[in-house]
Amino acid sequence: MSRTIIIGGGPAGMSAAVEIARAGGDAIIIDSNPRLGGQYWRHGADAKFSHDGERFFALQDEISRHSEIEVRGGSQVWRASYHDGVASVWLNDGTSLASETLLIATGAYDRSLPFPGWDLPGSMTAGGAQALLKASGALLGRAVFVAGTGPFLLPVAASLVEAGVKVLGVLEANRVNGWINHLGAVDFSKMKDAARYFKILATAKVPIRIGYAIIEARGDGRVEEVVIAKVDRNFAVKPGSVEVHKCDAIATGWGFTPDLTLAHSLGVTTDIDVIDRSVVVHVDAFQETSQHGVFAAGESTGVGGVDLALIEGRVAGIAIAVQRGLISTMDAKNRSVGLAQERSRIRKFAQALLSVYKIREGWRSWLHPETIICRCEEVTFAQVRNVVHDLGASDVRTAKLLSRCGMGMCQGRVCGRIVADVVGAEIGRSATDDELRGIHNRPIAHPISLATLAKQGQ
Amino acid sequence: MKTADVVVIGAGVVGSSCALIMAEAGLKVIVVDRGPIAGGTTGAGEGNIMVSDKEIVPEIELAVRSRDAWFEIADRIGNNFELHAKGGIALSRTDSGMAGLRKLAAHQSAHGIETIEVDGARLRELEPHMNPDIETAIHYPGDGQCQPMLSAAYFLRTVRHLKGEVWQRTEVLGFLKDKDGAITGVRTAREEISTRYVVNATGTWAGDIARLAGSELSIMPRRGFILVTTPAPRLIHHKVYDADYVANVASDSPELQSSAVVEGTESGTILIGASRERIGFDSRMNMAALERLAKQAISVFPVLSKLELLRVYHGFRPYSPDHLPVIGEDANVKGLFHCAGHEGAGIGTAPGSGELLTAMILGKPTFMDATPFLPSRFQGVA
């Protein structure tokens, strides 16, 4: 049997690799980042972490001790396929790999919501702002608002403060009364993290405003001011609550959604999450997908954070070792003590968070006709409405093809879900499950040099 | 029950052209499609409006008239579908290939297609990035381009403004006939429509509709991949294709064939076609097709090696046994008119096909002798 292919070198991929190595197996971890760690442990060359670095170093050390684990960083998978029990991936250096076992550990990316001015320079996603800071220490601005929904806004704001940025406010759109208590109530272990963030923000006198959102950014060529408003439980603006503040950058985050491009190419069965309608990989108790030998762990099975990703990675790694005949099922049981219970406990917590920090439909009322929906192709809200109401587009795909919304460089990663929701609302129905799945349909997962492609045939 | 003069089945570019021309002629039209607008082959094409790749006289006549009709439609309803006469360049790097191209050009110009043989210097003016080893080619100023999905959508928008109707996501379930077997209506998933005329413009699926009506028609799918590059500043100005392309179109071979057809689009991406495979409705990606297309395109435009492949899409060209479209009344079912099997030329030849059908239904003279397109050439008369 060939060595296991692990796509993604974040927490899930790393912990799976360690389990496979402990069982005496070999694997190759492929990641587009030059370094291991994924988004959560993204770091620069000096590998400094503000917290939680110990677990990363422990995993990295163990991986580097095992020569059977190859780490191929800085490598993009541009295509994947599954035939007759063999999974194949093609890399952007023109090589390809095939194996009977593969782990999808491709993580998640930020969900964005469009609003007037979201496309101005100086406006970033919360994840983007943090990745910038982690990778290169670069700051998106000097005076910044952090807005959106979800517990992730706290670490982003805290790390900006620690980096010397003046954070003018953290705006949480959902009505979470007693943010910290809420987190503590569902998972006590998160209390410590949250308390640390709150302390940093309190010391820096950062106002935290619950039930507020950035509904517009303005500026001549870049963000110079923001319009902030109080929003109701459905995210609609409360009349008379609008304020305008000067700032030079904004970071907005609306939670995460799994990156399922390669999962889709591999043909695995997916589910639609009942709470946020994200597409997630369907896995069994061993993290195996509907395709024999293809496993999934971490955010690809539903956004659940680093602790869940580490456990799912371990479960997947052990199951792969069993499937490859490296260890017995009895041995696997001994290695898995407590994992299933811990997985289900954290999953419940993740689902609880998801329902509290849900994106509510009223965000669409922030849109102006000229608001850009698709940044790559510069398609406006009015143009999307036009293809539905004037040209008769009656589904998401047709609306995309007629408006070019989602057809640009990002291939709908940023706007795919937005377009599905906007078009759905315009035609008077929710996006169907298959339309949501279609967002992830990218046979070319990442742009590939034509020269490299041409050489493959030789 | 609804009443219409004509029911057009198929909301692709062929069906919407027929519907537009019939609605403009004063007919009450209902377009019915089991899917969305432009959801089939129309949504998977390059938008070719080509005269340069036509060899057989009736097809040349249809293509030339259709090309003119495209621009007339744009004048009438507004050019909202990126129609422009970009021109085509056919090239070959072998002497025998060029000899073939010259012979074809002479034949085409005798039938009204403008052809200009250009030397290397002129070629570099037309296409500065073309491989310097290409020293001669035929320039076809009459080749055009449109955005096919927008074309179908705007044609159907006009149909609606002319009191026609467009029923999307409505499957045709059967036909009503009188005692002589002539069409009197269409049964759809929504409701019945009383009509004497039905246009079958369902492309690759036209055989299914013919069977549903109690007749037969052989239209088969021929798969093609198109590579879309990342957007770039305008590098390529014409539709540029290898002479092998013309040979491939007329080929009967089922296995993969490909030859570079390269062009830029208004959105800045570059499209690279054209592969041809007869393997039914198989939508799996064929790596060999992608690799060959990339290789061939780079050999014509070395600059492409610096670009990246962004997307790939595929479609199924509807072809008939003799590679000519099927336009006209069914030999067995009175009132059923086919307009299908245009293969890779359906965007370009849609308006002319619509004009032919409209004239046939109204009993008026056609702009050309349509006998070579009649379905009776394949159908035994019952």
Side-chain angles (χ1 to χ4, degrees), chain A residues 135-198:
Chain A
S136 62
L139 304 175
L140 77 162
R142 286 188 302 275
V144 175
F145 277 97
V146 177
T149 192
F152 182 60
L153 300 181
L154 293 176
V156 171
S159 54
L160 288 172
V161 166
E162 286 183 313
V165 174
K166 172 83 183 155
V167 176
L168 300 169
V170 177
L171 314 181
E172 165 59 56
N174 273 302
R175 299 309 183 92
V176 282
N177 294 319
W179 204 341
I180 187 164
N181 296 333
H182 174 80
L183 283 172
V186 263
D187 188 337
F188 191 74
S189 70
K190 291 286 166 202
M191 278 286 272
K192 227 174 68 190
D193 283 346
R196 204 176 65 79
Y197 302 139
F198 275 106

Side-chain angles (χ1 to χ4, degrees), chain A residues 79 390 392 394 411 448 450, chain B residues 157 168-169 287 309 311:
Chain A
R79 187 188 166 218
D390 190 37
S394 59
Q411 289 288 285
I448 169 81
L450 281 177
Chain B
R157 176 178 179 264
Q168 299 182 56
R169 282 163 229 294
M287 278 292 284
L309 172 66
R311 282 190 287 130

Side-chain angles (χ1 to χ4, degrees), chain A residues 78-79 83 90 377 386 390-395 397-398 401-402 404 407-411 429 443-444 446-451 453-454 456-458, chain B residues 36-39 43 147 149-150 153-154 157 160 168-169 227 229-231 267 272 284-285 287 290-291 294-295 298 304-305 307-312:
Chain A
W78 67 270
R79 187 188 166 218
H83 285 299
W90 284 259
E377 293 290 327
N386 182 64
D390 190 37
L391 291 185
S394 59
D395 63 321
R397 179 179 181 268
T398 310
L401 290 173
L402 292 177
R404 297 199 58 76
M407 304 284 286
M409 272 303 282
C410 87
Q411 289 288 285
R429 61 160 172 82
I444 307 297
H446 192 269
I448 169 81
S449 147
L450 281 177
L453 181 62
Q456 299 220 321
Q458 289 173 350
Chain B
I37 293 168
Q147 208 278 26
M149 291 147 276
L150 281 176
Y154 274 98
R157 176 178 179 264
R160 285 194 297 269
Q168 299 182 56
R169 282 163 229 294
L227 277 54
T229 70
T230 48
S267 59
I272 301 169
R284 285 176 301 181
M285 205 196 300
M287 278 292 284
L290 267 51
E291 292 160 7
K295 201 170 162 182
I298 289 170
L304 291 176
S305 65
L307 294 190
E308 290 183 313
L309 172 66
L310 176 64
R311 282 190 287 130
V312 170

Side-chain angles (χ1 to χ4, degrees), chain A residues 72-86:
Chain A
R72 197 169 301 177
S75 193
Q76 286 275 4
V77 175
W78 67 270
R79 187 188 166 218
S81 78
Y82 181 90
H83 285 299
D84 303 327
V86 176

Side-chain angles (χ1 to χ4, degrees), chain B residues 91 93 129-131 134 240 242 260 262 296-302:
Chain B
L91 60 92
R93 274 171 279 191
H129 294 284
M130 194 181 278
N131 193 332
I134 300 167
V240 179
D242 210 289
V262 187
Q296 290 167 344
I298 289 170
S299 86
V300 179
F301 288 102

Side-chain angles (χ1 to χ4, degrees), chain B residues 156-174:
Chain B
L156 293 175
R157 176 178 179 264
T158 308
V159 168
R160 285 194 297 269
H161 291 173
L162 293 170
K163 310 291 177 222
E165 295 178 33
V166 181
W167 296 4
Q168 299 182 56
R169 282 163 229 294
T170 306
E171 191 148 4
V172 169
L173 304 174

